[in-house]
Amino acid sequence: MEHAKWENVTYHAMVVSEEEGAFVRSVETLSVKDLPPGDVLIRVGFSSLNWKDCLSAMGNPGVTRRYPHTPGIDASGIVAACIDGGFQKGDKVIVTGYDLGMNTAGGFAEYIRVPAGWVVKLPDGLTRKEAMMLGTAGFTAGLSIKRLLDHGVAPGSGTVLVTGATGGVGSLAVGILKKLGFTVAAVSGRDERGEYLASIGVDQVVPLAEAVDSRGKALGGKLWAGVVDAVGGDVLETAIKNTVNRGVVTCCGNVRSDDLSFSIYPFILRGVSLCGIDSATCPMEERQFVWKQLADAWKPDILELVVESLNGLDELSIQIDRMVRGERTGRSIVHFP
Ligand SMILES: NC(=O)c1ccc[n+]([C@@H]2O[C@H](COP(=O)([O-])OP(=O)(O)OC[C@H]3O[C@@H](n4cnc5c(N)ncnc54)[C@H](OP(=O)(O)O)[C@@H]3O)[C@@H](O)[C@H]2O)c1
């Protein structure tokens, strides 16, 4: 067995444990034999922090049911060993989504072992570091923008609204849209983040108070040709009401709310489309397509502005707490040398 010779190799990982009802984080030394079975053993070079990792680290049972557990829904690295699935030792690869970091030991570790069906070959034009600067957030932004393009929203169609724009998905959606030549408006709940939004290319900042309709009307102004929403709730409702005829709205996140309560008039009087985005279960063909675009024509020019590099797993733990408190902008990556 090609994996057998690796079983006693040790590695560092963040481990979240449940202690008397509280969820505590530590950096521990584990063995490859502790990893779940899988086709491909990967030496992780980079991982990145996403909202779902915070939920896993805080003990959210909708994300992770079994502890102790290593979060990390993203990893890029080099294949150490492969028993099935067509990968060779030394191949540079990306794994995002599926069950990684949920109930399968995740990317906040120097090794992961996963089914071959979860693994994407790193496309030409992207480094392992850039793949994690994008990570699930960039991939989700890419999927959302693919939906807009597939439904006919083009740079000349009008302004695209991005919500949660100072966060990971939102910032990278702005970056991709600007790379493609779109005019972009962005919602932010914090005035002080206007400078950041301008630096990543946002053309118009919409204060959160204006992004929530309080008049209770079924339809609003025809403001947006498309919307990339990462927050949900009344912000998403208002964005849908303010979308032009035949406009397209994508919905991927619920940091504000998972509730929707509004009339169907935007759909039946304006032909607005609402598209759900689920990056974790995205089929492999579409997954490979989006990563290829992200390595090429869609690759945001603003990666360095959006992403900070963290110094190891201890610093990552500090960033998890900051993300939960809503104190961060952009994204964070961690490097395992
Ligand atoms: N469906 C999928 O496949 C998928 C994939 C990735 C992420 N997601 C989801 O997408 C969402 C965003 O993820 P992320 O990684 O970008 O998170 P993030 O980096 O924490 O960004 C979230 C952003 O939302 C805004 N926000 C926070 N609380 C808000 C509130 N109460 N009302 C309005 N805006 C608020 C914040 O911007 P301001 O404070 O500046 O307004 C923040 O920058 C999460 O719900 C995540 O689970 C889904």
Side-chain angles (χ1 to χ4, degrees), residues 49-52 55 73 136-137 140 143 163-170 187-190 193 208 230-231 235 251-256 277-280 323 326 328-331:
L49 178 60
N50 294 279
W51 180 244
K52 214 182 223 179
L55 297 177
I73 64 170
T136 285
T140 303
L143 273 178
T163 69
T166 60
V169 175
V187 179
S188 177
R190 308 204 187 194
R193 291 180 174 170
L208 185 57
V231 305
V235 171
C251 157
C252 77
N254 60 350
V255 284
R256 186 170 178 84
I277 303 295
D278 177 13
S279 62
M323 192 172 199
R328 289 176 51 266
T329 50
R331 278 175 59 68

